[in-house]
Amino acid sequence: MGDMTNSDFYSKNQRNESSHGGEFGCTMEELRSLMELRGTEAVVKIKETYGDTEAICRRLKTSPVEGLPGTAPDLEKRKQIFGQNFIPPKKPKTFLQLVWEALQDVTLIILEIAAIISLGLSFYHPPGESNEGCATAQGGAEDEGEAEAGWIEGAAILLSVICVVLVTAFNDWSKEKQFRGLQSRIEQEQKFTVVRAGQVVQIPVAEIVVGDIAQVKYGDLLPADGLFIQGNDLKIDESSLTGESDQVRKSVDKDPMLLSGTHVMEGSGRMVVTAVGVNSQTGIIFTLLGAGGEEEEKKDKKGKMQDGNVDASQSKAKQQDGAAAMEMQPLKSAEGGDADDKKKANMHKKEKSVLQGKLTKLAVQIGKAGLVMSAITVIILVLYFTVDTFVVNKKPWLPECTPVYVQYFVKFFIIGVTVLVVAVPEGLPLAVTISLAYSVKKMMKDNNLVRHLDACETMGNATAICSDKTGTLTTNRMTVVQAYVGDVHYKEIPDPSSINAKTMELLVSAIAINSAYTTKILPPEKEGALPRQVGNKTECGLLGFVLDLKQDYEPVRSQMPEEKLYKVYTFNSVRKSMSTVIKLPDESFRMYSKGASEIVLKKCCKILNGAGEPRVFRPRDRDEMVKKVIEPMACDGLRTICVAYRDFPSSPEPDWDNENDILNDLTCICVVGIEDPVRPEVPEAIRKCQRAGITVRMVTGDNINTARAIAIKCGIIHPGEDFLCLEGKEFNRRIRNEKGEIEQERIDKIWPKLRVLARSSPTDKHTLVKGIIDSTHTEQRQVVAVTGDGTNDGPALKKADVGFAMGIAGTDVAKEASDIILTDDNFSSIVKAVMWGRNVYDSISKFLQFQLTVNVVAVIVAFTGACITQDSPLKAVQMLWVNLIMDTFASLALATEPPTETLLLRKPYGRNKPLISRTMMKNILGHAVYQLTLIFTLLFVGEKMFQIDSGRNAPLHSPPSEHYTIIFNTFVMMQLFNEINARKIHGERNVFDGIFRNPIFCTIVLGTFAIQIVIVQFGGKPFSCSPLQLDQWMWCIFIGLGELVWGQVIATIPTSRLKFLKEAGRLTQKEEIPEEELNEDVEEIDHAERELRRGQILWFRGLNRIQTQIEVVNTFKSGASFQGALRRQSSVTSQSQDVANLSSPSRVSLSNALSSPTSLPPAAAGHSRREGVP
């Protein structure tokens, strides 16, 4: 059936060939349908239609060896006919949409309603002028002119609401813009190697066109669909598309299909690109999932049309419908991550960070308190008014007075709502966002490219860093410095003449042929610099050794081009060696091998002597060599590599697949010691980490002696300390019980002292990271950062709290799994990340300390004022202005403090440290006491102090009084000076320290001051202000300055005395394991399971996707076989059961339940819904 639909496709396309692909021998649709086939079907189809892959290359006007000519017109034409390699991202939200979202805030809606009622009532004048007699409760009748101005308050409230909304929307918009900028930056970073005009070049992924010859190698994320032309041992992980976790072996005659978004796990090769962008397999899935935005509307029509086309395969379709749901589930996961629009995946990975969990919880608690306070305020005001008017003064309720009474009630209601507005700290999420966005922008300059916003803040809590050695702690410029050749151990590069000619020839061939041909040493870019090393650095070191011996590797390679290599055993973490077989002119075979010396020497039974003749090499000779040569080299911190060869007869031809027999009986040519010098800035960076309470551990694939030597040079271990250096085997032996299962208790015995893990496999790294994270051995849960560059580091990077990938040496797979990319591959950039992370945490605390003081004071003033004088001393509009300076401006000012080195002098806070420490609580309450004392003094005896009219008990629309203006002004002045106090949260004395390093802070404080002057002098009725004289201003500023003095007084009180102060905003034990861990626990190494989890997130979006799934089945009809679907269905169902059992309901975090359902990440929403389902 697959073939039938394809031939339909084919015949249809013959007609429009002239229009569509006139220039080339095949159209986009043909290639697209070809790429939907798998395995043998595809091979058959290629044979029938085109002949072979060479023929396809000819049709696409490209050469398998030379590549495209690379001229601009040709590339343009290809882009027009076959499309660009770019998947259009989702449209960003417009500014108006963001405004609309900001308007959804409940408190703002309440205020708007109240303001509109107040407006309406002020325009309504009841018939009859009898309202004089209605309400004398408030004393004094109103002036005619004032009655006219009744509308101003309502209008002013509406205006300030608009202000708040615009500011919020603008912040969201700039955040979104930054995020998009970051995305495009990450995408531009991704380059791929192609051959153009016979030159190997690296081009951005978006530039790849159909017909390009791309070189794929270990660790690549394929950027487009293509056909495999030639290569060695290529294995691909296609789980992101198919959900099958087994690696698929690719070969020209069995399965030449290479699909975009899949990962190369082993080997290398070349492919001709056949589909890019929206036409590649990942692109098709994206379009189906509506990631291309506009596709949504077309979908309904398309669905109907497609049903028409499939009558031929209708019966099959019915059977497949059952499998449709399951078929689609793993496929959907591609949306979660593998194509260019990585944003969604990143958003889902760890939605709620520790900090946001603590903040949401705090905000909810404060909001509840505010709600209670405002309700009580309104009730007291209403009761007092009714009792006073109708009971004490015995006034009848006259119908013509109703509007007046209603107006009073609305006024009380507005006061209540303003109390609520001030009480709810909506600035908190804003502060976090601003602080994180600001940090991320600045971290770019420090070579940290942050992919997940919250990684930056988690980094501040890090307690352990597990680092790679090569390239992170060292420069990754390998140079051979010692060699053992022809029975002599040379401590520096030997003189070429001292080496036998036969040996020399073997050595040069072995190194030149048995290394990736993409590895080269190029002349330096500028005079006096070192030669450039391209490709695998260890191989570069060996090629450099050949050049140092005054030999050249290029002629050897041109004599034996890559196509002629007979068989290649590529390097992988299991073999730890690489071998290449060539056919000699006399038809016999020779295999060159190189690899870790202790592994290759075990397989050697001969060694070349001084005369270049092989002599017997017995186990005891080997032990002696290890003692005399390899260990001394390793103790100097060198990596030892053994180069060997073996000859095979031409007949019978050996069984190349029987690796154990082939990789044996080798003859050792030489052993070299390669030095990879420690980066000069690393020891200092590690010392900073240790001082900051962060343990640095080194995890490496190197020999234990080399690793220990480097660790001492870096300062990870100091001679004489009590620490462990283990090899992977020993580590595994110690952590596993008799049955071979890993036990947490056993890991707990090891990890606190472990500093170096050598000869470790990727699984060991993952086990160590998981063991440290899951450990309950210490009172704080460990927060672990991991660095990695290889494909095999993916699981450990994902498991870690923060994964750092190398920007230069890192493979795409590692970058995909990481949270932060180090653009300069340098360990000292990690220390910068720690500094920024701690700074984010401190910025939030500073802002909290400031905001909570204002909240406490404003709420108490409004509440008591209302109860005692029936009117809030701070009017609604004034409150909104205070709210604006507190929330938005203060969060900007305090969240953008630059970090200082002093941040690295304290220990990490850890996961369950409360947001508000005792010191901060002391500051908040201390300042609140000062502010309340002064405001109440001014409220009750202010008129006597300043010899002015009292503002208390003013009638409904009376003009603003100087008395209340002074109170408002003093209040704002105190906040301004307290903002300076808030810059320090650890009880430091000098609050002005480094204030001029932060221009934003200075601008905001001065700006707020200027606006305040304008409001007081010219605000008039809307702001309920009357202009003040100079002496009154001086008093206000003087009282404000008192804040700074009072701050010093508070700082002298020792916090330790104040035992009664509670800390607030901690995650309790039950919530200790936030949602993300729950998800991450399940995230074992198994790829299928990880993909499944992504699939489930999307799954819960409900039934409205079913239609899409039927479409997908129809589209994939030609490619996906029914058995495959069923097989996948069963594996998926069994896995989803496991997953459900793993997420046990007892550990659901509460912080999710508290935050509003809208803010739940889809993953969390899904979890809460299926929590009880075993």
Side-chain angles (χ1 to χ4, degrees):
M1 144 239 149
D3 291 332
M4 212 179 126
T5 23
N6 280 327
S7 50
D8 287 353
F9 247 133
Y10 192 60
S11 55
K12 269 209 302 269
N13 291 329
Q14 287 302 320
R15 282 168 243 152
N16 56 18
E17 179 128 20
S18 51
S19 61
H20 212 113
E23 310 291 333
F24 299 102
C26 28
T27 63
M28 186 169 79
E29 282 79 8
E30 279 174 44
L31 289 173
R32 186 168 151 170
S33 60
L34 171 67
M35 292 316 291
E36 281 168 4
L37 303 177
R38 301 283 176 272
T40 41
E41 285 184 27
V43 180
V44 172
K45 173 79 177 159
I46 292 173
K47 271 212 181 71
E48 283 175 6
T49 318
Y50 304 100
D52 59 357
T53 40
E54 300 269 324
I56 295 186
C57 289
R58 281 199 299 278
R59 288 200 184 193
L60 289 173
K61 304 202 173 146
T62 177
S63 140
V65 185
E66 297 285 308
L68 291 178
T71 55
D74 178 53
L75 296 177
E76 247 338 283
K77 199 163 67 188
R78 286 173 192 271
K79 280 186 184 163
Q80 275 167 3
I81 295 181
F82 296 111
Q84 291 181 321
N85 194 19
F86 167 72
I87 295 179
K90 233 187 175 121
K91 283 207 191 84
K93 286 186 175 152
T94 58
F95 188 69
L96 287 175
Q97 281 170 306
L98 292 169
V99 168
W100 177 244
E101 278 177 18
L103 276 171
Q104 310 294 311
D105 188 16
V106 185
T107 40
L108 288 180
I109 292 175
I110 298 176
L111 260 185
E112 287 155 25
I113 295 171
I116 290 167
I117 296 177
S118 148
L119 263 179
L121 286 170
S122 66
F123 288 125
Y124 171 73
H125 284 296
E129 291 302 313
S130 60
N131 26 2
E132 257 46 348
C134 286
T136 46
Q138 303 286 350
E142 24 179 295
D143 298 336
E144 271 309 297
E146 291 307 329
E148 299 305 307
W151 61 274
I152 290 183
E153 186 176 37
I157 292 179
L158 282 180
L159 263 176
S160 30
V161 166
I162 290 171
C163 254
V164 174
V165 165
L166 286 178
V167 171
T168 318
F170 177 73
N171 277 314
D172 285 347
W173 178 76
S174 56
K175 176 178 96 187
E176 173 87 356
K177 199 169 114 223
Q178 262 176 344
F179 196 84
R180 294 216 165 241
L182 186 67
Q183 276 314 112
S184 60
R185 167 91 191 258
I186 291 175
E187 278 158 27
Q188 282 154 16
E189 297 272 305
Q190 207 187 346
K191 294 244 189 344
F192 209 79
T193 318
V194 297
V195 182
R196 283 195 179 164
Q199 291 295 313
V200 176
V201 286
Q202 283 217 320
I203 57 169
V205 167
E207 296 294 312
I208 292 178
V209 293
V210 170
D212 256 325
I213 303 294
Q215 292 198 336
V216 294
K217 59 180 185 314
Y218 158 82
D220 282 343
L221 176 78
L222 297 184
D225 292 354
L227 296 173
F228 185 53
I229 309 178
Q230 160 277 318
N232 322 305
D233 233 7
L234 191 66
K235 287 194 185 145
I236 296 212
D237 168 18
E238 294 190 349
S239 60
S240 56
L241 278 181
T242 60
E244 302 280 354
S245 57
D246 300 337
Q247 293 175 12
V248 186
R249 200 189 190 111
K250 296 291 176 186
S251 62
V252 184
D253 46 357
K254 297 223 172 57
D255 183 2
M257 307 313 244
L258 300 177
L259 305 174
S260 59
T262 57
H263 293 147
V264 182
M265 299 313 271
E266 218 179 282
S268 61
R270 291 225 287 268
M271 72 169 187
V272 55
V273 176
T274 54
V276 292
V278 212
N279 300 306
S280 65
Q281 291 304 300
T282 312
I284 293 174
I285 292 176
F286 257 93
T287 339
L288 285 173
L289 286 170
E294 316 78 62
E295 306 292 328
E296 285 294 324
E297 297 84 55
K298 301 182 201 156
K299 213 186 275 179
D300 304 326
K301 296 175 204 149
K302 207 165 72 186
K304 293 194 189 83
M305 277 163 37
Q306 282 204 341
D307 287 344
N309 305 350
V310 289
D311 13 71
S313 43
Q314 199 70 51
S315 54
K316 201 71 176 233
K318 283 201 176 66
Q319 289 172 299
Q320 282 208 339
D321 275 358
M326 280 315 184
E327 172 86 336
M328 193 45 211
Q329 198 173 355
L331 280 172
K332 275 189 171 177
S333 62
E335 174 184 7
D338 289 286
D340 298 64
D341 191 1
K342 296 178 192 140
K343 177 166 159 192
K344 294 193 191 105
N346 304 350
M347 297 311 283
H348 291 327
K349 183 180 170 195
K350 298 178 181 171
E351 191 83 32
K352 253 226 175 85
S353 63
V354 182
L355 185 58
Q356 276 168 323
K358 290 180 183 177
L359 279 176
T360 316
K361 191 163 174 236
L362 196 67
V364 168
Q365 289 167 343
I366 297 173
K368 283 181 185 158
L371 194 63
V372 173
M373 289 295 268
S374 59
I376 296 177
T377 314
V378 176
I379 293 169
I380 289 181
L381 285 170
V382 172
L383 281 177
Y384 190 97
F385 175 76
T386 41
V387 169
D388 196 65
T389 312
F390 302 121
V391 180
V392 182
N393 294 330
K394 302 197 168 54
K395 287 264 166 74
W397 180 300
L398 303 169
E400 63 268 25
C401 289
T402 307
V404 183
Y405 294 145
V406 172
Q407 233 169 330
Y408 271 113
F409 289 145
V410 169
K411 177 182 155 186
F412 299 152
F413 183 61
I414 288 181
I415 292 173
V417 174
T418 22
V419 173
L420 181 63
V421 169
V422 179
V424 174
E426 61 271 33
L428 279 183
L430 188 69
V432 182
T433 313
I434 290 179
S435 182
L436 286 174
Y438 169 80
S439 303
V440 166
K441 212 168 174 180
K442 287 275 187 274
M443 281 168 83
M444 286 274 202
K445 294 195 178 74
D446 282 342
N447 303 311
N448 282 304
L449 181 69
V450 182
R451 292 186 61 220
H452 302 149
L453 271 185
D454 51 14
C456 150
E457 153 245 318
T458 316
M459 206 45 222
N461 287 333
T463 54
I465 297 175
C466 295
S467 171
D468 270 2
K469 176 180 81 67
T470 312
T472 316
L473 299 173
T474 58
T475 54
N476 207 2
R477 260 202 81 85
M478 307 281 189
T479 36
V480 173
V481 289
Q482 296 187 21
Y484 179 89
V485 189
D487 292 342
V488 189
H489 183 178
Y490 298 93
K491 293 286 188 181
E492 56 252 6
I493 299 288
D495 188 278
S497 57
S498 64
I499 298 178
N500 176 291
K502 271 193 211 159
T503 312
M504 183 67 100
E505 192 199 351
L506 270 170
L507 178 60
V508 174
S509 304
I511 290 176
I513 293 174
N514 185 28
S515 57
Y517 279 32
T518 46
T519 305
K520 304 185 187 64
I521 292 192
L522 304 177
E525 281 178 339
K526 44 185 183 291
E527 278 300 303
L530 294 163
R532 282 183 302 154
Q533 297 187 337
V534 183
N536 180 313
K537 298 299 192 241
T538 312
E539 292 179 353
C540 285
L542 290 168
L543 292 174
F545 179 52
V546 171
L547 299 177
D548 289 342
L549 292 172
K550 310 282 183 287
Q551 306 290 318
D552 191 4
Y553 62 88
E554 279 300 341
V556 183
R557 281 186 174 180
S558 46
Q559 216 178 335
M560 177 57 76
E562 203 170 357
E563 295 80 57
K564 283 200 189 159
L565 299 180
Y566 196 78
K567 169 91 180 142
V568 178
Y569 298 96
T570 49
F571 182 90
N572 64 24
S573 50
V574 183
R575 286 189 193 123
K576 288 224 191 289
S577 67
M578 168 178 179
S579 314
T580 305
V581 181
I582 57 170
K583 214 172 191 167
L584 297 174
D586 63 358
E587 294 294 306
S588 65
F589 300 99
R590 172 171 289 169
M591 177 178 76
Y592 294 115
S593 263
K594 67 164 192 291
S597 54
E598 55 261 55
I599 289 171
V600 178
L601 278 177
K602 279 197 184 113
K603 298 177 174 164
C604 290
C605 63
K606 297 194 180 80
I607 186 166
L608 294 183
N609 61 15
E613 297 300 327
R615 66 174 171 83
V616 179
F617 184 65
R618 291 184 300 274
R620 69 159 185 270
D621 300 335
R622 185 173 67 228
D623 297 340
E624 188 179 346
M625 184 155 168
V626 167
K627 266 203 195 69
K628 296 271 172 66
V629 180
I630 291 173
E631 282 186 3
M633 280 188 187
C635 291
D636 293 341
L638 305 182
R639 291 175 84 159
T640 52
I641 300 273
C642 175
V643 182
Y645 79 103
R646 177 181 176 186
D647 286 329
F648 295 98
S650 54
S651 66
E653 187 175 326
D655 171 14
W656 298 116
D657 290 335
N658 186 348
E659 254 178 72
N660 293 341
D661 292 355
I662 301 284
L663 295 180
N664 231 328
D665 298 341
L666 306 176
T667 307
C668 169
I669 304 173
C670 73
V671 172
V672 294
I674 298 187
E675 180 183 45
D676 184 7
V678 171
R679 287 175 181 262
E681 60 284 321
V682 162
E684 173 57 19
I686 288 186
R687 204 164 59 247
K688 280 185 188 161
C689 279
Q690 288 163 341
R691 202 173 55 223
I694 301 170
T695 316
V696 182
R697 295 182 173 81
M698 181 162 104
V699 183
T700 173
D702 264 351
N703 161 330
I704 189 149
N705 295 327
T706 312
R708 191 184 286 122
I710 299 267
I712 290 174
K713 281 185 194 166
C714 294
I716 291 180
I717 53 184
H718 304 288
E721 277 183 357
D722 178 23
F723 55 78
L724 282 172
C725 293
L726 294 180
E727 284 201 338
K729 278 196 188 127
E730 172 65 10
F731 173 69
N732 271 313
R733 198 182 57 70
R734 291 197 186 188
I735 60 171
R736 293 176 190 274
N737 58 18
E738 296 70 49
K739 293 182 192 150
E741 294 156 351
I742 298 173
E743 285 189 0
Q744 186 65 43
E745 302 85 78
R746 290 176 184 240
I747 300 184
D748 285 348
K749 287 199 186 93
I750 295 178
W751 73 256
K753 284 186 183 174
L754 183 69
R755 290 292 176 277
V756 176
L757 185 58
R759 282 273 172 258
S760 66
S761 69
T763 343
D764 295 341
K765 192 173 187 175
H766 179 265
T767 310
L768 176 67
V769 173
K770 186 174 179 334
I772 298 180
I773 290 183
D774 294 348
S775 169
T776 47
H777 180 72
T778 45
E779 68 279 2
Q780 284 287 5
R781 170 164 123 41
Q782 296 279 314
V783 176
V784 184
V786 170
T787 67
D789 52 6
T791 308
N792 44 22
D793 293 330
L797 287 171
K798 265 211 156 55
K799 178 67 195 161
D801 294 285
V802 182
F804 286 92
M806 302 295 142
I808 304 167
T811 57
D812 297 337
V813 184
K815 290 180 188 172
E816 187 74 10
S818 68
D819 301 290
I820 297 180
I821 296 173
L822 295 177
T823 47
D824 62 347
D825 286 17
N826 192 338
F827 186 82
S828 60
S829 302
I830 299 180
V831 181
K832 299 239 177 70
V834 172
M835 208 154 83
W836 277 106
R838 293 188 171 189
N839 190 49
V840 167
Y841 217 88
D842 280 8
S843 298
I844 305 296
S845 297
K846 289 170 190 173
F847 172 65
L848 262 178
Q849 175 174 309
F850 172 68
Q851 169 146 34
L852 292 181
T853 315
V854 190
N855 275 9
V856 170
V857 176
V859 170
I860 293 180
V861 168
F863 177 69
T864 20
C867 297
I868 300 173
T869 66
Q870 278 72 63
D871 186 10
S872 163
L874 298 173
K875 298 289 181 288
V877 181
Q878 294 174 352
M879 290 273 219
L880 284 168
W881 160 239
V882 170
N883 199 36
L884 196 72
I885 55 170
M886 285 178 357
D887 276 359
T888 316
F889 298 152
S891 60
L892 252 178
L894 292 168
T896 52
E897 290 270 314
T900 55
E901 287 283 327
T902 48
L903 287 168
L904 293 175
L905 296 177
R906 62 172 176 75
K907 296 273 178 276
Y909 282 145
R911 289 207 156 231
N912 33 17
K913 160 146 189 346
L915 271 180
I916 304 173
S917 60
R918 278 236 174 96
T919 318
M920 287 166 61
M921 208 57 151
K922 175 183 76 177
N923 290 344
I924 292 171
L925 295 177
H927 288 294
V929 168
Y930 173 82
Q931 296 185 8
L932 286 170
T933 315
L934 280 163
I935 286 179
F936 283 136
T937 312
L938 285 175
L939 181 59
F940 296 114
V941 292
E943 71 269 34
K944 301 192 187 68
M945 286 160 57
F946 290 106
Q947 274 93 41
I948 45 176
D949 293 339
S950 162
R952 296 194 300 280
N953 299 336
L956 191 59
H957 293 302
S958 58
S961 65
E962 284 186 354
H963 182 189
Y964 273 18
T965 308
I966 291 179
I967 292 179
F968 166 57
N969 201 16
T970 312
F971 180 65
V972 173
M973 287 303 126
M974 291 199 282
Q975 301 325 325
L976 267 185
F977 288 102
N978 194 26
E979 199 166 334
I980 300 176
N981 272 334
R983 289 185 67 245
K984 298 287 177 242
I985 48 172
H986 295 298
E988 296 93 331
R989 289 241 172 237
N990 179 6
V991 287
F992 290 100
D993 175 35
I995 194 166
F996 295 112
R997 282 219 314 276
N998 186 356
I1000 302 184
F1001 184 86
C1002 304
T1003 324
I1004 284 181
V1005 171
L1006 295 172
T1008 313
F1009 187 63
I1011 300 176
Q1012 179 63 19
I1013 295 180
V1014 174
I1015 288 179
V1016 170
Q1017 296 306 95
F1018 310 106
K1021 187 78 172 98
F1023 278 97
S1024 321
C1025 287
S1026 80
L1028 300 180
Q1029 274 93 39
L1030 190 62
D1031 60 326
Q1032 293 167 330
W1033 263 103
M1034 284 305 149
W1035 272 106
C1036 294
I1037 294 175
F1038 174 71
I1039 294 176
L1041 278 166
E1043 270 286 358
L1044 294 174
V1045 183
W1046 183 247
Q1048 295 303 315
V1049 175
I1050 294 180
T1052 41
I1053 306 171
T1055 316
S1056 50
R1057 287 286 169 78
L1058 307 169
K1059 286 279 188 289
F1060 59 89
L1061 285 182
K1062 279 277 195 300
E1063 298 152 322
R1066 62 158 69 223
L1067 286 173
T1068 50
Q1069 213 44 47
K1070 175 133 189 230
E1071 299 157 58
E1072 227 306 58
I1073 304 180
E1075 170 101 35
E1076 69 223 42
E1077 261 74 85
L1078 228 161
N1079 283 350
E1080 298 263 286
D1081 272 2
V1082 192
E1083 283 229 295
E1084 276 313 325
I1085 277 180
D1086 188 357
H1087 280 288
E1089 202 158 298
R1090 185 152 65 234
E1091 297 304 335
L1092 190 80
R1093 165 136 273 100
R1094 284 194 197 147
Q1096 271 167 350
I1097 293 171
L1098 297 156
W1099 195 239
F1100 292 124
R1101 293 194 186 154
L1103 295 170
N1104 63 338
R1105 294 282 197 195
I1106 284 213
Q1107 177 199 0
T1108 322
Q1109 291 164 352
I1110 294 167
E1111 261 180 70
V1112 172
V1113 172
N1114 292 336
T1115 319
F1116 281 78
K1117 188 69 48 57
S1118 44
S1121 64
F1122 181 48
Q1123 279 84 8
L1126 279 181
R1127 198 168 57 238
R1128 209 164 297 144
Q1129 178 177 10
S1130 58
S1131 72
V1132 170
T1133 16
S1134 62
Q1135 272 169 344
S1136 58
Q1137 280 167 358
D1138 300 347
V1139 174
N1141 294 340
L1142 275 161
S1143 24
S1144 62
S1146 58
R1147 292 186 2 194
V1148 187
S1149 73
L1150 259 181
S1151 54
N1152 294 328
L1154 288 173
S1155 64
S1156 64
T1158 47
S1159 71
L1160 273 179
H1167 259 284
S1168 50
R1169 240 173 298 163
R1170 48 179 280 282
E1171 213 42 68
V1173 189

